[in-house]
Amino acid sequence: MRQFYRKFHMKRDKKQKIAFITGVTGQDGSYLAELLLRKNYEVHGMVRRSSTFNTTRIDHLYKDPHKKGVNLFLHYGDVTDSNTVYKLLGEIRPDEIYNLAAQSHVRVSFDLPEYTVNTVAIGTLRLLEVIRDLKLESRFYQASSSEMFGDAKPPQSEWTPFQPRSPYAAAKVLAHQLVGVYRDAYGIFACGGILFNHESPRRGETFLTRKVTLGVANILAKKQDKLYLGNMDAKRDWGFAPEYVRAMWMMMQKKKADDFVIATGESHSVSEFVELAFGLVGLNWKRFVKIDQKYFRPTEVDFLQGDFSKAKKILGWKPKVKFEELVKIMLNSDLKKVGLSLKIN
Ligand SMILES: NC(=O)c1ccc[n+]([C@@H]2O[C@H](COP(=O)([O-])OP(=O)(O)OC[C@H]3O[C@@H](n4cnc5c(N)ncnc54)[C@H](OP(=O)(O)O)[C@@H]3O)[C@@H](O)[C@H]2O)c1
């Protein structure tokens, strides 16, 4: 994929900003690529090699690089492969780097702790080291997470001490702290966006919210008869992913690099989410939901609720989509996906 870029890069409008996104094929990466393309960025996405297609979330953005006016370029790469990261960043020299790549499933991080730490923490270090070594002037965004707060009492803000409860969260803490170290030690413009859960129709199907909305749609379409879930008492602050990627971009446009909590400020339990999703299509969730111990984490995080007042004050960011609307957006998308014409208003 890279040779196309070399050829077309020469014709680039010099004022056009260049962004590099790791994790471009993920939920956030796809929305961020859309946002940056709308803003006329030249966008470079790192795609990991897979034996099955992993670009479905960005297929609608992809254009034949032989054609004129192409602004999206994809490159094979992996955050566990320093050599490729070095070559890509040295060649592209982006104005902005968004590090979204991760083994991002908290429960899975207990099964794959070493791989999770390698992608999440050491992957971040690799990128920061390349910026330092090549003396790039790139701005850097790190996808930090509310999971870092773990057991800390809500509401959690930028000043709340981290108490991670999973390999994923511990790796995100290390990555977040490295961002602070590289910012202070080397003057790199590096931001940590501490994002609380954010969901969308593009959320992976094994993540709780999507599992529920797709499960409800499948049950209604008679393609599934039970939905197996884990901890129904956990409380989360759920927002809408497209609004959260806008916050990432806003952080990167400020004069000074900083860390920001991005959240809705509201928290709801898993059972509230489930009850609402089933209730919206007239089903009683108790008839369909079964608890399976395998979905419980060895150490749970009970209550996350973000205080986004710093982002509101400094970035002028605030969420518009709240809990009920979010559930409706996801449910409507999944009802359509399974072939039902029902639409929830
Ligand atoms: N969504 C949330 O609620 C939330 C909250 C806080 C923080 N975060 C963090 O924000 C980032 C984006 O989240 P998301 O919801 O968009 O996650 P996601 O849908 O799981 O996407 C993760 C992306 O990382 C890529 N990836 C995984 N391992 C990689 C590797 N070794 N090298 C290169 N790329 C790799 C994936 O590629 P494939 O498509 O090939 O799997 C995918 O593109 C993640 O770092 C996540 O931990 C998310």
Side-chain angles (χ1 to χ4, degrees), residues 25-28 48 54 78-79 100 104 115 168 172 198:
T25 55
Q27 171 188 258
D28 291 5
R48 64 176 178 152
N54 59 354
D78 198 298
V79 289
L100 311 183
S104 65
Y115 179 69
Y168 169 82
K172 283 285 184 191
H198 46 282

Side-chain angles (χ1 to χ4, degrees), residues 114-131:
E114 185 181 333
Y115 179 69
T116 303
V117 172
N118 194 1
T119 56
V120 172
I122 312 300
T124 305
L125 180 63
R126 287 184 185 101
L127 287 157
L128 291 168
E129 265 297 281
V130 173
I131 295 173

Side-chain angles (χ1 to χ4, degrees), residues 307-326:
D307 171 357
F308 66 92
S309 37
K310 181 176 168 187
K312 191 172 172 194
K313 184 166 169 228
I314 297 177
L315 304 176
W317 180 90
K318 65 174 193 249
K320 290 192 193 86
V321 175
K322 295 291 180 72
F323 183 65
E324 189 168 338
E325 195 186 343
L326 175 68

